Amino acid sequence: GGSAGGRTPRGPGTRDSKKPLPVAKGSLPDTMEILGVGSIKLVPPQLVDQLGFEAMCNRVFLDTTTNTTGSTIATLRTASDGGGWDVVDPWEIPPEADVEGSWKRAYVYGFTTLEDPTTEDPSELWVYYNARDGWEHAREAIGVSRIRF
């Protein structure tokens, strides 16, 4: 974790901080504890104004009422100080823990984004991601969510 600066992404670089860039909790209930953040992806720059966010990230959480973990894909905007991220929607693509048999019952993660490839004038951001249908002995699948703007 942390941040570094250099002339190229491969370096050589100078470490600015050993602390990970902060991602705010957002409007998650008090019973949700963030355990980790990963897989931050920037959305196509030409869609930022229409979407109202600049990036998406996967966040692993613990629901202290059920003592179960899960993950969600949240939308992000650069923090005002530029040193982290503010959460726009912590549940942009949530698991469906209460839906028996859902292909994304426990976790949603490992994603990529692209503009709607079926049209010259896109009005959707497509988000392809992995999900798990449970916790123990679960199956994994890949799906797509379309965010309209």
Side-chain angles (χ1 to χ4, degrees):
S3 64
R7 290 192 344 227
T8 70
R10 291 185 178 192
T14 304
R15 185 175 288 279
D16 301 320
S17 169
K18 291 184 179 182
K19 297 169 95 175
L21 292 176
V23 176
K25 184 175 180 179
S27 59
L28 287 176
D30 291 338
T31 59
M32 297 287 183
E33 181 182 322
I34 300 297
L35 300 177
V37 177
S39 194
I40 291 180
K41 304 282 173 49
L42 301 177
V43 300
Q46 64 274 20
L47 301 182
V48 168
D49 288 339
Q50 296 99 313
L51 291 168
F53 58 88
E54 299 163 304
M56 302 176 84
C57 78
N58 168 250
R59 302 187 324 156
V60 179
F61 62 83
L62 170 67
D63 182 339
T64 58
T65 59
T66 61
N67 202 33
T68 57
T69 58
S71 64
T72 181
I73 296 174
T75 52
L76 308 171
R77 187 175 293 130
T78 305
S80 59
D81 67 1
W85 298 95
D86 290 332
V87 175
V88 176
D89 184 351
W91 296 104
E92 185 68 46
I93 302 175
E96 299 174 328
D98 297 334
V99 180
E100 191 68 38
S102 172
W103 71 279
K104 58 180 187 174
R105 189 161 184 226
Y107 300 96
V108 294
Y109 56 95
F111 63 96
T112 193
T113 63
L114 69 132
E115 291 180 66
D116 179 351
T118 65
T119 179
E120 293 286 325
D121 186 24
S123 60
E124 295 178 335
L125 177 70
W126 289 17
V127 183
Y128 289 88
Y129 56 97
N130 295 43
R132 290 179 58 105
D133 65 358
W135 292 264
E136 191 175 359
H137 308 294
R139 291 179 302 156
E140 195 161 314
I142 297 173
V144 62
S145 288
R146 297 182 306 245
I147 301 172
R148 290 184 177 84
F149 52 86

